[in-house]
Amino acid sequence: MYARLAEEYDALLGELAESTWRQGIVAELAGLSRGTGTRIADIGAGTGIGGRLMRELRPDFQIVGLDRAARMLERARGSYRRTVVADASEGLPFEDREFDVLVSGFDTLNYFDPAVLRVFLAEAARCLREFGLLIFDYSSPRLLREEWRDLEYEENHADGRVRWSHRYDASQDRCVSTVERYSEGGELKWREQHVQYALDAYSLAGLAEKQGLSVERVRNLDKPVYTPLANTHIWVMSRQRC
Ligand SMILES: C[S@@+](CC[C@H](N)C(=O)[O-])C[C@H]1O[C@@H](n2cnc3c(N)ncnc32)[C@H](O)[C@@H]1O
């Protein structure tokens, strides 16, 4: 996953990822009082789009970028003080209370099935200082179950085309997305598959509470209110008293 897409990630998805960060995590960080959060870890940092935007917002932020895809992270070095190749589903390679804020952008946490998400939330709580924040955007169940139930489209590029397909698999409550890259002559250059999950807000909030994180607020990506039918929500959780 993200081995072949890494080469073209910024060109294909960079604009959408950047606008999601600006409306979501970056807007939340901008509202923090100065000095609240300086030590930050970006989980699923990818090519470093979020790291670059957070540093533009606050050059004094000390940000670590973590991703399991080394080929994505190779492109992110300029965005972080330090990068770490690690699989977050196996735990976070950080000290207890090492960070003021953990962030995860452009639906990275949707890659975690409910069991992995539980482990991740417990690890996030462990790595945050008391009252530290976990801020992330998260695709809603409606996006996966309805919009992406059975969706296919193609994008034309100067050097060929990209075909996206999304299929919701009701038996496992997950969405399997396939991206295929074709050359100008129509030859398949590469194909990747991504599997995503989306818990409903009630389940996600309950899971977080059990791991020591309390939900401070949740809102639609583009509005200061929460509505269940939005495609993407922004979640802000805080580490409860240790
Ligand atoms: C949709 S991309 C988002 C990248 C970046 N956050 C952005 O906004 O452009 C999802 C990223 O999550 C990473 N990822 C998925 N599962 C992961 C895991 N278990 N541990 C670490 N990284 C993971 C992928 O390698 C990929 O770079």
Side-chain angles (χ1 to χ4, degrees):
M1 232 176 40
Y2 286 99
R4 301 306 307 271
L5 185 55
E7 292 159 32
E8 301 194 75
Y9 182 87
D10 285 2
L12 296 179
L13 292 169
E15 209 176 307
L16 187 57
E18 180 160 337
S19 114
T20 302
W21 273 91
R22 285 190 189 283
Q23 292 181 84
I25 296 168
V26 171
E28 293 295 335
L29 290 173
L32 294 181
S33 56
R34 257 186 132 60
T36 306
T38 52
R39 299 164 304 161
I40 300 180
D42 181 4
I43 309 302
T47 59
I49 292 169
R52 171 171 57 76
L53 296 174
M54 288 187 282
R55 280 183 45 178
E56 275 172 26
L57 175 74
R58 286 275 301 272
D60 60 312
F61 279 162
Q62 298 169 30
I63 317 171
V64 176
L66 176 147
D67 203 288
R68 72 174 171 191
R71 289 174 75 173
M72 293 287 276
L73 219 42
E74 274 165 20
R75 293 167 160 75
R77 285 203 190 103
S79 300
Y80 301 99
R81 283 203 160 199
R82 181 163 69 94
T83 56
V84 181
V85 178
D87 187 336
S89 68
E90 295 169 358
L92 296 177
F94 302 126
E95 303 289 323
D96 294 358
R97 307 183 192 195
E98 187 172 338
F99 294 101
D100 302 298
V101 181
L102 294 183
V103 297
S104 190
F106 204 39
D107 70 16
T108 295
L109 297 192
N110 290 95
Y111 286 77
F112 298 175
D113 68 30
V116 169
L117 189 58
R118 186 187 59 73
V119 171
F120 171 77
L121 292 169
E123 278 291 273
R126 180 184 66 75
C127 297
L128 282 171
R129 69 157 166 79
E130 195 171 57
F131 306 126
L133 299 175
L134 169 64
I135 308 175
F136 59 96
D137 56 70
Y138 193 71
S139 297
S140 68
R142 194 194 77 92
L143 179 74
L144 271 60
R145 292 177 194 160
E146 303 294 332
E147 298 260 318
W148 289 1
R149 172 164 294 275
D150 187 11
L151 179 69
E152 276 185 16
Y153 55 95
E154 286 192 355
E155 290 165 355
N156 289 315
H157 295 269
D159 60 348
R161 64 198 161 85
V162 178
R163 182 180 181 77
W164 299 91
S165 85
H166 302 287
R167 298 267 185 276
Y168 175 64
D169 169 4
S171 67
Q172 300 197 57
D173 195 13
R174 63 183 200 171
C175 185
V176 180
S177 303
T178 308
V179 50
E180 293 175 334
R181 181 69 160 106
Y182 292 91
S183 68
E184 223 175 338
E187 178 199 350
L188 179 67
K189 289 169 71 183
W190 52 262
R191 173 191 286 126
E192 269 189 13
Q193 244 179 21
H194 299 173
V195 179
Q196 287 180 278
Y197 305 80
L199 289 186
D200 65 76
Y202 175 77
S203 303
L204 179 50
L207 198 59
E209 293 278 344
K210 285 194 183 119
Q211 313 312 318
L213 295 163
S214 77
V215 177
E216 294 287 319
R217 55 188 172 278
V218 52
R219 65 168 170 87
N220 297 0
L221 180 65
D222 60 346
K223 288 198 180 79
V225 297
Y226 170 83
T227 56
L229 298 187
N231 284 345
T232 306
H233 296 109
I234 306 300
W235 289 77
V236 180
M237 299 179 179
S238 70
R239 175 74 174 102
Q240 288 161 19
R241 192 174 287 280
C242 299

